[in-house]
Amino acid sequence: MAFEGQELVEQYIESYSNWGRWGEDDSIGTLNLVGPEEILAAVGTVRHGRTVNCTLPLDLKGPQRPQMLRDNPRTIKVATGTDHVSGAQDQLPAGLGPANGFGRSDDITILPNQAGTAWDGLAHIFWRGKMWNGKSAALVSSSGAAANGVEHYAGKMVFRGVLLDLPKALGVESLGEAQAITVEDLERAEEAGGVEVRKGDCIALRTGFMEARRGDWGDYVQGPAPGLSIYTIPWLYEREVAAIAADTWGLEVQPNEIQVFNPIHIVGLVHMGLALGEIFDFDELATVCDELGQYEFLFVSPVLPITGASGSATGSIAIL
Amino acid sequence: MAFEGQELVEQYIESYSNWGRWGEDDSIGTLNLVGPEEILAAVGTVRHGRTVNCTLPLDLKGPQRPQMLRDNPRTIKVATGTDHVSGAQDQLPAGLGPANGFGRSDDITILPNQAGTAWDGLAHIFWRGKMWNGKSAALVSSSGAAANGVEHYAGKMVFRGVLLDLPKALGVESLGEAQAITVEDLERAEEAGGVEVRKGDCIALRTGFMEARRGDWGDYVQGPAPGLSIYTIPWLYEREVAAIAADTWGLEVQPNEIQVFNPIHIVGLVHMGLALGEIFDFDELATVCDELGQYEFLFVSPVLPITGASGSATGSIAIL
Amino acid sequence: MAFEGQELVEQYIESYSNWGRWGEDDSIGTLNLVGPEEILAAVGTVRHGRTVNCTLPLDLKGPQRPQMLRDNPRTIKVATGTDHVSGAQDQLPAGLGPANGFGRSDDITILPNQAGTAWDGLAHIFWRGKMWNGKSAALVSSSGAAANGVEHYAGKMVFRGVLLDLPKALGVESLGEAQAITVEDLERAEEAGGVEVRKGDCIALRTGFMEARRGDWGDYVQGPAPGLSIYTIPWLYEREVAAIAADTWGLEVQPNEIQVFNPIHIVGLVHMGLALGEIFDFDELATVCDELGQYEFLFVSPVLPITGASGSATGSIAIL
Amino acid sequence: MAFEGQELVEQYIESYSNWGRWGEDDSIGTLNLVGPEEILAAVGTVRHGRTVNCTLPLDLKGPQRPQMLRDNPRTIKVATGTDHVSGAQDQLPAGLGPANGFGRSDDITILPNQAGTAWDGLAHIFWRGKMWNGKSAALVSSSGAAANGVEHYAGKMVFRGVLLDLPKALGVESLGEAQAITVEDLERAEEAGGVEVRKGDCIALRTGFMEARRGDWGDYVQGPAPGLSIYTIPWLYEREVAAIAADTWGLEVQPNEIQVFNPIHIVGLVHMGLALGEIFDFDELATVCDELGQYEFLFVSPVLPITGASGSATGSIAIL
């Protein structure tokens, strides 16, 4: 199992692993870095009373290439307004009697949990048989994740968000496919936004790649994409970042820089316990930040506490 | 279609309808009552940096009585840690080559959109062929809601939340099945909490019924339940409430007080455009509010912007 | 609603409708033409004890263009062998104790009922608000088909099958896209096979188009295709055909010859009550028929009796 | 892993295993016992031209106890007649223009493959890490069964069926819960029906338990039930039975006679490669057999060739 880059991965794991740091039973990783102080600071960034949605619509027009890795979500109606107007609802269900004018629609969504804007859970990625905090990957069976399921993130995902708008900082419309984002790039984006990434923050990482592909997605998912370089790991660790959410399908540069798939997931998610989010829509947010001259905000992006799941769609909101 | 109580419903509709109030094309109703000022006030309630989850776990142990009105959500794995440790992931999918130690789990949730903690959308309820803002119910077909879909709520659902803890105010463990909550009750709860419901607020309505049934749900869904009386409509209108979220399956008292199903949905949701949420878990919140002596908070409970859906599960968080 | 060809459709309906022919409550249409005598004759064609599968594999490689009209079926595992070998099944579910070496796999298929080899049900198509036997289309709501559901076909679909191998009869590999099959073509295929279509038969209509597209489906579904001409309706009626199954996605020539979608479905399915099947795989059957010099066989292709469904996948077997 | 009865299981495996008997790559097991001669004999039993459905309706009223082992199938509409009559279908999908009176309904079934009348596939059960023909259970991952999937049964499941009507033979309405069916019982049923089980037959095993529970299923699934005794294994082997289909949820007596779950599945399915079917409805068949005085018939019960699945629903038909 030797591969090019293996030494780097092993060295990063050795240096930056947080296994055990918050106790043997911890299942939220770097969200431990967000305490009352950080939340109060996050709340303190709100000056205008504006909210910005950062979640893509969930429907068949989404970015997934259907029936490959994941499908886009499909919503199916189990009761409709057409039923109501056609008389099919004149009796209430379950023997409740005549509807007397009342009608309803209802639906079910078949939701691949990471098809759109979503958080990875800490049971999403494994490395050599283990997941976050040293737990065995075998705990994640067809019955669900017996440890590190995304439900442990419930009530969390409240951060100071910091928009790092790479295209703005680098003077381009969008980063290029296969463009690796370096520490220098990140710091130029901090400077451009007049912000500094601090302990407990969530980085909102905008590459411009979503804007470039929106609505005509092509290989946006599973194709070459701009993204974080594996060499940013030490910086992310030292800054004590709690979470990173990106506007690409995988957050990392694709193709990866070394001969293993998604090494930031391996070092960051599996070993640092870092919360990773993907397919976030930061385009309107970039406009608003630019307009207000403010690149920090209260970022609330709750998971659905789906027991044993590997990830979760999220309604995400920046409050400025 | 004459029924007992019809006159009341018609009179309330006549008096309290907001159709047209925010334009012919409005699709968010009373969320229009939440502007920058309300959001800043909401943010201003945060004093402790604490977060409380208000969403029930989404799994097969949920409150639905399976295969009646709705099922509980089912999460199914499409990749597992057991696959990883058994060698079934030794090659990456899609011809990406050897895994070199990398593994993953992934899943799909079959999610009845209102099975658990969820917001109704404005396409959820009809009255005599119409839905919110006078749109035809026939716009909600098997293809989805062509108007008033829950996706219009995206980026919203940021409120000053006000917990009205009825059991505390009335000195009981839980309100009783079929107990109608009156205006007087609401005002006693305001008083008990030292808060006043204002324009743009979200009422967090705690009846204690979830605590009474948790884990052994019985007929919690579709059975008799405490809930709002239809006679609270004028009060809700005058207070300019933006949203109400309750800890029961239907928010209204069950059985209903008059001979039509869920009249608050008819008057409130269809005609006032009032955002309604159900099956919220306010029990831990009640403990925290009591402990802090603070019954107001920043309440963020985003929808998933599922295009054309009638409602949406929500990760909901109170920030105090 | 006037369109080119409307007069033809109306005249055919006038001449060939079977509404009421088998009673007001009939819900199986031309399957009434198959009685004990026809079944004994069908059984009498079996001379070699051979069976041939006529159903395509049901999986993601199927002919559907995902997330357009229909998806291909997706099968998801709820228990796996990898769980078993990894120890995740060492305890039986439901508190049944230690597994002692026993293991299991299990799965769920998300099955669009007409995604692959399938029968249309008599609730599948409507014409001006009506379906088979004059029933209102409004009986088919989100709750299912209250009349003419595919479950009425249960225990049926036992025929004398007659292979009409058009490419063989016409000396081509495959009929062309948009090639209409005429009565003359059908009779040449009868002659080529040494068979005559009779009362109660199921025509196995082979165009060669599946063979031409197999595995690289392109627009096999919803694109131009060879198929039956609307002008075969009188012939089908007079021959008292019970069913037709074709190796194309829609059985009719595409684009249609007149200005209404799928007129054979309108006249044949809605008004004659004719059982129609699509996406059948008759390629191996054609080889076997040719080899044996026998174009008639016992054809058993049961539906799944899915209550209220508009159609059903079918395991279909020719017995020669 | 020692348990009571282990010796018996091991001895039966030793004596009756068919691993390797039909080649290393065989994936249909005892269906190899059905050749042209057996099929011609099966066809030869048809004397009356009658067909009898042996498949339960597939809907929410089925026998499963929802959200335990399996759900009942749920069918959801993606197009309805109510849409059609309400005008929501006035335009054809996919830009095909005006409907001109044409309408359609369509649906998707969420189908747990073994929720109702179904065949187990040879990838359904494992014993100590192996499945049929000695293949590793690890070949059955979340991606499906890479060996022994139910698709290998395609075009098969054509048998001489022999109804063994135990209640009739034993003079009771239904066998009792937990009643083990012995070799003696099987032979009394043969005698009562005037039939003898032969090489390549499918036994239609009627216990009467479905009739006893129909429509008010209670613990029909996963509860105590009559069924085959483990001690019938030698008889089944010697008679060269190809398949057994039963009217109970598990075919074997429940609770099992020894301390391992479903030993007939372990010895019969895993090691003999015996095709097993469950939840078949033989009640109408029993009436017809009695009326005609004929307990043998042509039995056609095709699987859906769902690639990699562990089992399959089946439309099953007895032809007499």
Side-chain angles (χ1 to χ4, degrees), chain A residues 15-313:
Chain A
S15 304
Y16 306 118
S17 171
N18 286 319
W19 288 7
R21 176 172 171 183
W22 297 290
E24 262 184 37
D25 289 334
D26 177 73
S27 45
I28 61 168
T30 54
L31 298 192
N32 285 291
L33 298 168
V34 187
E37 204 172 322
E38 287 73 24
I39 288 173
L40 287 171
V43 166
T45 66
V46 182
R47 291 160 212 153
H48 306 273
R50 284 183 69 163
T51 61
V52 180
N53 171 44
C54 302
T55 297
L56 276 189
L58 286 160
D59 58 35
L60 295 180
K61 294 179 183 152
Q64 296 295 323
R65 292 192 280 173
Q67 307 204 336
M68 293 187 62
L69 180 63
R70 297 185 182 108
D71 285 346
N72 289 305
R74 179 181 281 279
T75 296
I76 42 195
K77 290 278 173 197
V78 294
T80 63
T82 56
D83 291 351
H84 168 64
V85 301
S86 307
Q89 297 187 352
D90 286 355
Q91 293 294 316
L92 295 170
L96 288 169
N100 285 327
F102 176 90
R104 56 187 271 282
S105 78
D106 199 4
D107 30 61
I108 297 171
T109 297
I110 299 179
L111 181 63
N113 288 312
Q114 302 185 43
T117 307
W119 291 106
D120 293 356
L122 290 171
H124 178 43
I125 302 295
F126 313 117
W127 177 245
R128 298 182 179 172
K130 300 281 186 189
M131 58 177 167
W132 162 244
N133 224 2
K135 296 283 168 65
S136 168
L139 293 170
V140 185
S141 73
S142 303
S143 305
N148 292 331
V150 82
E151 73 274 18
H152 295 284
Y153 279 167
K156 310 284 172 184
M157 300 299 177
V158 178
F159 308 100
R160 189 180 77 131
V162 172
L163 178 68
L164 298 187
D165 188 346
L166 275 301
K168 179 189 164 91
L170 305 182
V172 295
E173 288 278 304
S174 168
L175 301 198
E177 295 171 14
Q179 182 173 347
I181 298 166
T182 63
V183 167
E184 194 190 359
D185 296 334
L186 295 173
E187 295 187 344
R188 286 174 69 177
E190 283 182 297
E191 200 177 342
V195 283
E196 198 180 14
V197 173
R198 293 196 308 249
K199 178 186 171 221
D201 280 355
C202 175
I203 294 177
L205 187 75
R206 183 172 179 273
T207 68
F209 197 56
M210 179 173 283
E211 191 162 88
R213 293 294 185 87
R214 191 189 301 273
D216 187 11
W217 297 103
D219 63 355
Y220 170 86
V221 167
Q222 285 180 283
L228 279 185
S229 165
I230 178 65
Y231 300 100
T232 59
I233 282 285
W235 188 90
L236 296 169
Y237 184 85
E238 283 150 21
R239 293 294 185 101
E240 298 194 90
V241 169
I244 312 173
D247 66 348
T248 62
W249 75 278
L251 187 136
E252 309 194 36
V253 63
Q254 302 290 346
N256 300 119
E257 299 154 295
I258 58 176
Q259 291 301 313
V260 71
F261 191 67
N262 279 357
I264 294 181
H265 283 70
I266 295 169
V267 180
L269 190 148
V270 177
H271 293 90
M272 292 168 58
L274 183 58
L276 300 181
E278 287 131 4
I279 316 185
F280 280 68
D281 184 356
F282 294 131
D283 291 344
E284 185 190 344
L285 179 63
T287 305
V288 172
C289 287
D290 189 59
E291 179 193 327
L292 302 180
Q294 173 186 338
Y295 282 76
E296 59 171 8
F297 43 87
L298 173 61
F299 189 50
V300 186
S301 184
V303 298
L304 299 182
I306 306 170
T307 308
S310 304
S312 172

Side-chain angles (χ1 to χ4, degrees), chain D residues 231-298:
Chain D
Y231 300 100
T232 60
I233 283 284
W235 188 91
L236 296 169
Y237 184 85
E238 283 151 21
R239 293 291 186 106
E240 298 193 274
V241 169
I244 313 174
D247 66 349
T248 64
W249 76 278
L251 186 139
E252 310 193 35
V253 64
Q254 300 290 346
N256 300 121
E257 299 153 294
I258 58 175
Q259 290 301 312
V260 71
F261 190 66
N262 278 358
I264 293 180
H265 283 70
I266 295 170
V267 180
L269 191 148
V270 177
H271 293 91
M272 292 167 59
L274 183 58
L276 300 182
E278 287 130 3
I279 316 186
F280 279 68
D281 184 355
F282 293 132
D283 292 344
E284 185 190 344
L285 179 63
T287 305
V288 172
C289 286
D290 188 58
E291 177 193 327
L292 301 181
Q294 174 186 338
Y295 281 77
E296 59 172 7
F297 43 87
L298 173 61

Side-chain angles (χ1 to χ4, degrees), chain C residues 40-54:
Chain C
L40 288 171
V43 166
T45 65
V46 182
R47 290 161 215 154
H48 306 275
R50 285 184 68 163
T51 59
V52 180
N53 171 45
C54 302

Side-chain angles (χ1 to χ4, degrees), chain D residues 158-245:
Chain D
V158 177
F159 307 100
R160 189 180 76 132
V162 171
L163 177 68
L164 298 186
D165 187 346
L166 275 301
K168 179 190 162 91
L170 305 183
V172 295
E173 288 279 304
S174 168
L175 301 199
E177 296 171 15
Q179 181 173 349
I181 298 167
T182 64
V183 167
E184 194 190 359
D185 296 334
L186 295 173
E187 296 187 342
R188 285 173 70 177
E190 283 183 297
E191 199 178 344
V195 283
E196 197 180 13
V197 174
R198 292 196 306 249
K199 179 187 171 222
D201 281 354
C202 175
I203 294 176
L205 188 74
R206 183 172 179 273
T207 68
F209 196 57
M210 178 172 284
E211 191 162 270
R213 293 294 186 88
R214 190 187 302 273
D216 187 11
W217 297 103
D219 64 356
Y220 170 85
V221 167
Q222 285 181 284
L228 278 185
S229 165
I230 179 64
Y231 300 100
T232 60
I233 283 284
W235 188 91
L236 296 169
Y237 184 85
E238 283 151 21
R239 293 291 186 106
E240 298 193 274
V241 169
I244 313 174

